[in-house]
């Protein structure tokens, strides 16, 4: 039998939900070893506003779900709201995008008051500098108005079941390992009470290492994990990779300030790495040497923490992944961090060990030369660059100077190239020759790319062959 609620009952339920969501987001007692999980209405609301304004980072193809469709339908009448219109100015004049968006959201007291948890002028330490106090205050007021004008609390009520299922599924994964305790022990610093992991239902492939230092001195860590996989019923799908992302994003609030303190020593080294792998880093949205250095230290820390959580094999797997993403400082940094872990009496915190981290990277050219020797080389490519009058069915054959990871792939094409797969790509038994056959339209000139983003075809240890381009034309 279907239960029909009176308008008063609906109002009461919505009001109770609003009161629960308006409570201080960081007031709950902390789990001493695990990260609690919570869908955060502040984050969802701000991302929703940016999505409505056309922000691609919150409308990725892998974020499409019944939830995103419900947002598009519910808020469609409000696409011309002043909050949505303000986003265009924030993006064009201040480049507010990606991490700068949730960086404001996690500092809001709630989603409906327009007030902040911490004084916003001067800009709090750690807050993205694309914001100014005036811009942040102005937009927070617009967020408040948007929540009121759209009856956002009613939308939250509609999504309550999804939120509860999402939190339960993610919490089950987070309970597998004591990540919170491992991170605290590794850095020798405390994660503040009220910290929690946030599933980002609109974030798609984006993950964000958010944190806030409250007036009482607590460092509240709120990693946002983008949801990019969905169950058939529309609930998020989680796996072990999401747990690793929580660790990664939770390390940023501790590691980034340490890099900042030693920036003069570390950034020049990172600049050499960034120059060598600019393509790979650009594809990962790491546009400068400072960001690459933040990521380099964080990723080495994650290797060591995952080793503690899931064993040496998992740590080795993580290390290979980071090398495959072009973070070539990982071996040197991990070696240094192993010394740190073996001498915690002398180095009670990673902060106290930072001079040794600087020393580990003081000869970046030597590190790069050692790593360069591990990079595979292409001995031959078919079809040859400049080939013409090829049959429509083109055989690709790449020969390498050493065995490759047989599961790796990296052939792509510039532009919108239509083709059919005739013979699936595969390596020979030795792992040194990759072959595939593809069918293209007649009379077409095609620019092919191997490892277009700097990663793809790689050795079992994660070292990727350099980006290579070649052009061929099929016969008319």
């Amino acid at each position: 039998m279907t239960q029909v609620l009176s308008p008063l009952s609906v109002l009461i339920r919505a009001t109770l939900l609003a009161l629960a969501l308006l409570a201080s987001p960081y007031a709950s007692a902390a789990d001493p070893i695990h990260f609690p999980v919570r869908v955060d209405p502040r984050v969802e609301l701000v991302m929703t506003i940016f999505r409505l304004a056309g922000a691609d980072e919150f409308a990725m193809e892998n974020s499409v779900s019944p939830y995103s469709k419900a947002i598009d339908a519910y808020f469609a009448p409000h696409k011309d709201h002043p909050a949505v219109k303000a986003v265009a100015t924030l993006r064009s004049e201040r480049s507010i995008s990606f991490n700068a968006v949730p960086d404001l959201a996690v500092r809001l007291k709630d989603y409906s008051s327009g007030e902040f948890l911490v004084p916003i002028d001067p800009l709090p330490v750690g807050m993205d500098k694309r914001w100014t106090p005036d811009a942040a205050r102005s937009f927070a007021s617009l967020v408040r108005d948007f929540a009121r004008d759209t009856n956002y609390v009613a939308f939250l009520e509609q999504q309550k079941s999804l939120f509860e299922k999402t939190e339960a599924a993610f919490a089950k994964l987070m309970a597998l390992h004591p990540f919170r305790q491992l991170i605290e022990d590794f850095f020798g610093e405390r994660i503040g009470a009220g910290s929690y992991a946030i599933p980002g239902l609109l974030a798609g492939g984006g993950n964000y290492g958010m944190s806030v230092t409250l007036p009482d001195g607590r460092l509240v860590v709120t990693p946002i994990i983008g949801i990019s996989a969905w169950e058939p019923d529309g609930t998020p799908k989680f796996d072990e990779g999401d747990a690793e992302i929580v660790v990664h994003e939770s390390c940023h609030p501790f590691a980034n300030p340490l890099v900042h303190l030693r920036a003069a020593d570390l950034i020049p080294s990172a600049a050499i790495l960034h120059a060598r792998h600019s393509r790979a880093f650009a594809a990962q949205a790491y546009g400068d040497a400072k960001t690459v250095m933040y990521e380099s230290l964080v990723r080495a820390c994650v290797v060591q923490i995952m080793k503690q959580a899931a064993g040496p094999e998992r740590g080795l797997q993580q290390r290979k992944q980071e090398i495959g993403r072009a973070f070539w400082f990982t071996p040197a940094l991990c070696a240094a961090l192993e010394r740190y872990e073996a001498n915690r009496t002398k180095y009670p915190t990673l902060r106290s060990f930072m001079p040794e981290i600087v020393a580990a990277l003081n000869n970046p050219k030597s590190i790069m030369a050692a790593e360069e020797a591990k990079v595979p080389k292409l001995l031959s490519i078919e079809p040859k660059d400049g080939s013409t009058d090829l049959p429509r069915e083109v055989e690709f054959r790449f020969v390498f100077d050493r065995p490759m990871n047989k599961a790796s792939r990296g052939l792509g094409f510039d532009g919108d190239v239509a083709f059919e797969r005739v013979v699936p790509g595969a390596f020979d038994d030795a792992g040194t020759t990759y072959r595939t056959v593809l069918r293209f339209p007649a009379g077409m000139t095609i620019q092919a790319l191997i490892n277009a983003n700097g990663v793809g075809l790689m050795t079992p240890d994660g070292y990727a062959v350099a980006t290579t381009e070649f052009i061929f034309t099929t016969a008319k």
Side-chain angles (χ1 to χ4, degrees):
M1 180 177 179
T2 302
Q3 181 184 15
V4 179
L5 297 177
S6 69
L8 179 59
S9 298
V10 173
L11 177 61
I12 291 172
R13 290 181 64 179
T15 302
L16 289 174
L17 176 65
L19 290 173
L21 294 172
L22 284 171
S24 174
Y26 306 132
S28 59
D31 181 329
I33 64 172
H34 300 103
F35 273 105
V37 174
R38 177 177 170 187
V39 176
D40 194 316
R42 303 167 304 162
V43 171
E44 292 303 317
L45 176 58
V46 176
M47 287 186 179
T48 292
I49 294 170
F50 272 72
R51 176 187 177 89
L52 294 173
D56 293 340
E57 64 269 36
F58 305 116
M60 296 182 189
E61 187 175 342
N62 58 13
S63 71
V64 175
S65 69
Y67 174 73
S68 69
K69 293 176 182 177
I71 282 177
D72 293 342
Y74 184 91
F75 295 103
H78 305 283
K79 282 192 172 183
D80 290 328
H81 191 279
V84 178
K85 289 184 174 180
V87 170
T89 301
L90 287 172
R91 291 172 79 81
S92 63
E93 295 184 0
R94 308 208 62 79
S95 300
I96 300 295
S97 59
F98 290 98
N99 61 297
V101 177
D103 203 27
L104 177 128
V106 299
R107 287 174 167 78
L108 293 174
K109 184 178 180 181
D110 48 57
Y111 67 77
S112 64
S113 69
E115 298 179 1
F116 289 92
L117 288 162
V118 295
I120 208 72
D121 192 0
L123 209 64
V125 174
M127 187 171 181
D128 195 293
K129 288 182 171 53
R130 284 173 285 182
W131 289 105
T132 64
D134 286 344
R137 277 193 296 259
S138 175
F139 190 66
S141 296
L142 292 172
V143 171
R144 173 200 63 204
D145 296 345
F146 185 87
R148 179 197 63 221
D149 298 342
T150 62
N151 196 12
Y152 184 57
V153 70
F155 178 77
L156 293 175
E157 173 69 17
Q158 294 174 13
Q159 303 301 318
K160 184 178 179 182
S161 175
L162 172 65
F163 290 177
E164 290 174 346
K165 290 178 182 178
T166 299
E167 291 171 349
F170 200 7
K172 185 177 180 181
L173 175 64
M174 295 309 299
L176 295 177
H177 302 292
F179 288 125
R180 178 184 180 130
Q181 183 177 28
L182 289 172
I183 293 168
E184 287 188 336
D185 291 347
F186 185 83
F187 286 96
E189 299 184 44
R190 297 277 74 83
I191 293 174
S195 298
Y196 54 90
I198 301 173
L201 295 168
L202 288 179
N207 306 290
Y208 304 101
M210 300 290 101
S211 65
V212 181
T213 300
L214 298 181
D216 62 10
R218 278 183 293 156
L219 176 64
V220 176
V221 178
T222 51
I224 298 174
I225 311 307
I227 308 301
S228 57
W230 305 86
E231 301 288 358
D233 67 353
T235 57
K237 182 186 294 185
F238 298 100
D239 59 29
E240 273 286 336
D242 295 303
E244 176 267 318
I245 293 170
V246 170
V247 176
H248 178 111
E249 300 301 342
S250 299
C251 285
H252 273 294
F254 297 102
N256 288 14
L258 301 182
V259 170
H260 182 73
L261 288 173
R262 302 304 298 259
D265 300 311
L266 293 170
I267 302 306
S269 297
I272 295 173
L273 178 63
H274 180 259
R276 170 61 177 82
H277 292 296
S278 57
R279 241 186 224 265
F281 290 137
Q284 299 171 77
Y286 303 139
D288 56 42
K290 180 178 72 173
T291 305
V292 167
M293 192 62 240
Y294 287 157
E295 290 291 330
S296 294
L297 181 56
V298 163
R299 290 165 187 269
C301 291
V302 171
V303 170
Q304 300 306 111
I305 292 170
M306 293 305 298
K307 185 191 300 184
Q308 294 179 32
E313 195 62 34
R314 182 66 183 86
L316 180 60
Q317 178 186 357
Q318 190 70 37
R319 175 171 163 156
K320 290 179 180 179
Q321 288 176 2
E322 304 306 355
I323 292 170
R325 293 165 180 148
F327 287 94
W328 281 10
F329 286 169
T330 302
L333 287 171
C334 284
L337 291 173
E338 285 171 6
R339 296 196 304 273
Y340 163 65
E341 292 179 277
N343 293 277
R344 292 303 296 275
T345 301
K346 182 178 180 180
Y347 303 109
T349 65
L350 187 58
R351 183 180 298 270
S352 64
F353 188 73
M354 282 305 291
E356 298 300 315
I357 294 293
V358 171
L361 300 181
N362 69 355
N363 193 348
K365 291 184 179 180
S366 175
I367 294 173
M368 296 292 288
E371 297 300 296
E372 200 73 59
K374 303 171 187 175
V375 175
K377 306 294 188 297
L378 274 164
L379 299 179
S380 65
I381 297 173
E382 294 180 12
K384 296 184 183 303
D385 185 33
S387 296
T388 58
D389 292 326
L390 295 178
R392 289 184 60 198
E393 291 188 3
V394 179
E395 179 181 12
F396 295 86
R397 186 184 296 269
F398 309 143
V399 180
F400 299 89
D401 67 344
R402 68 197 73 191
M404 303 290 283
N405 177 351
K406 293 183 180 181
S408 67
R409 298 291 183 268
L411 173 62
F413 305 98
D414 186 43
D416 187 15
V417 178
F419 64 86
E420 299 174 43
R421 186 172 285 104
V422 179
V423 178
F427 278 93
D428 63 2
D429 290 342
T432 56
T433 300
Y434 176 82
R435 178 180 180 272
T436 187
V437 178
L438 305 177
R439 182 185 293 113
F440 298 91
M444 188 174 189
T445 298
I446 299 162
Q447 181 175 13
L449 300 102
I450 298 172
N451 289 3
N453 293 327
V455 295
L457 288 162
M458 63 182 64
T459 67
D461 290 331
Y463 291 90
V465 71
T467 299
T468 304
E469 303 177 10
F470 57 100
I471 295 176
F472 61 91
T473 301
T474 56
K476 294 182 179 179

